Amino acid sequence: MKKSLREYQKKRDFSRSPEPAGSATPKKRKKKAKKPIFCVQKHLATQLHYDFRLEHNGVLLSWAVPKGPSLNPKDRRMARQVEDHPLDYADFEGVIPLGYGAGVVMLWDTGSWTPQDPDVGAALKKGKLKFDLSGYKLKGQWTLVRTRAPKSWLLIKHRDEWAGEVDITTFAPRSVKSNGDFEDILREKSLKFWESRRPGDEDTKESLARIVEKVAKLKAGTR
């Protein structure tokens, strides 16, 4: 397995989670493949947040952004760097019923990214990565800047034709994969999950009940 995926795999029980485990020998993308991918997953776990991911060296570098990306260059969105994720995670959407990250995951945006720095690793080490995004919702120039706090970064939109004051998280809240909201994903994915569960799996039943409650509160406008 890739060394950078050990933390990801250590935190999860894949007999209970539908998340991709990540191959021991990750497939290499063909040289003629398109630009490296990025994705943003809207994740209703303990708290609602957005997971921002950039493909680099065979994994998805990942940051948790509590308020989600902003198109307004005045905003400095806090982004906490978390464990690298496998490339297979880039199109994941579903319900995590138990354990780490329990909740609902929505594929909120996806596309390709182009680093403005020729050496991504060096840019990350220095604490400033400039890049372009070409997604359904997020486009144009962006920067990730590390702060003094451990694993803490800021996600900032540059002033360009794709910048603006519209709140993209409320303007375009649905999945780019299924066009559903959390309630739709929960309804579809949890039913499929239950088909493979033992009748007496009370832990899963209780956890799913809590997830359903979170989704209902979010839809009602509360947290």
Side-chain angles (χ1 to χ4, degrees):
M1 98 183 57
K2 270 189 171 288
K3 185 177 180 180
S4 62
L5 291 181
R6 288 177 183 168
E7 184 180 354
Y8 168 84
Q9 294 175 336
K10 188 185 299 183
K11 289 182 175 180
R12 292 161 174 83
D13 179 356
F14 296 105
S15 67
R16 290 185 160 191
S17 174
E19 298 167 286
S23 173
T25 54
K27 295 180 180 179
K28 292 183 179 180
R29 299 183 74 203
K30 295 179 181 179
K31 289 184 179 180
K32 65 178 182 179
K34 296 180 180 180
K35 296 175 183 178
I37 58 176
F38 90 92
C39 70
V40 181
Q41 276 141 332
K42 188 175 176 182
H43 188 178
L44 180 60
T46 304
Q47 298 291 334
L48 176 66
H49 64 278
Y50 294 73
D51 293 310
F52 181 77
R53 312 190 195 281
L54 300 174
E55 177 187 358
H56 179 60
N57 281 348
V59 298
L60 294 171
L61 306 178
S62 300
W63 291 261
V65 185
K67 293 184 178 181
S70 172
L71 303 184
N72 191 337
K74 294 181 181 180
D75 291 335
R76 304 291 192 264
R77 288 295 164 87
M78 186 63 67
R80 179 170 176 78
Q81 190 166 15
V82 297
E83 70 274 10
D84 296 344
H85 282 52
L87 286 180
D88 291 349
Y89 212 100
D91 66 350
F92 174 71
E93 181 171 277
V95 180
I96 305 173
L98 286 166
Y100 183 75
V104 190
V105 177
M106 173 196 296
L107 184 59
W108 183 77
D109 197 17
T110 187
S112 64
W113 77 288
T114 305
Q116 294 183 13
D117 304 276
D119 190 334
V120 173
L124 289 169
K125 189 174 182 179
K126 289 180 181 178
K128 189 172 185 179
L129 178 65
K130 296 181 179 180
F131 51 93
D132 292 274
L133 296 180
S134 180
Y136 291 97
K137 302 175 184 179
L138 305 183
K139 301 178 186 292
Q141 300 178 10
W142 299 73
T143 299
L144 274 165
V145 182
R146 188 169 56 226
T147 71
R148 293 183 179 181
K151 296 186 176 181
S152 179
W153 297 67
L154 298 175
L155 178 62
I156 305 168
K157 180 75 185 77
H158 286 209
R159 294 187 183 278
D160 59 21
E161 62 182 313
W162 302 108
E165 296 186 3
V166 61
D167 183 348
I168 191 64
T169 61
T170 56
F171 179 77
R174 289 177 171 265
S175 165
V176 295
K177 182 175 182 178
S178 63
N179 196 37
D181 58 19
F182 281 137
E183 190 175 32
D184 297 321
I185 296 168
L186 180 62
R187 184 184 303 113
E188 178 188 354
K189 300 295 183 179
S190 62
L191 288 175
K192 292 179 180 178
F193 179 82
W194 269 105
E195 291 176 359
S196 63
R197 295 296 93 184
R198 298 186 301 272
D201 196 344
E202 293 301 320
D203 288 343
T204 305
K205 185 176 180 180
E206 290 179 9
S207 181
L208 282 172
R210 289 194 293 271
I211 293 169
V212 170
E213 184 179 3
K214 286 181 187 177
V215 172
K217 286 183 178 179
L218 186 66
K219 190 170 184 179
T222 59
R223 299 290 168 86

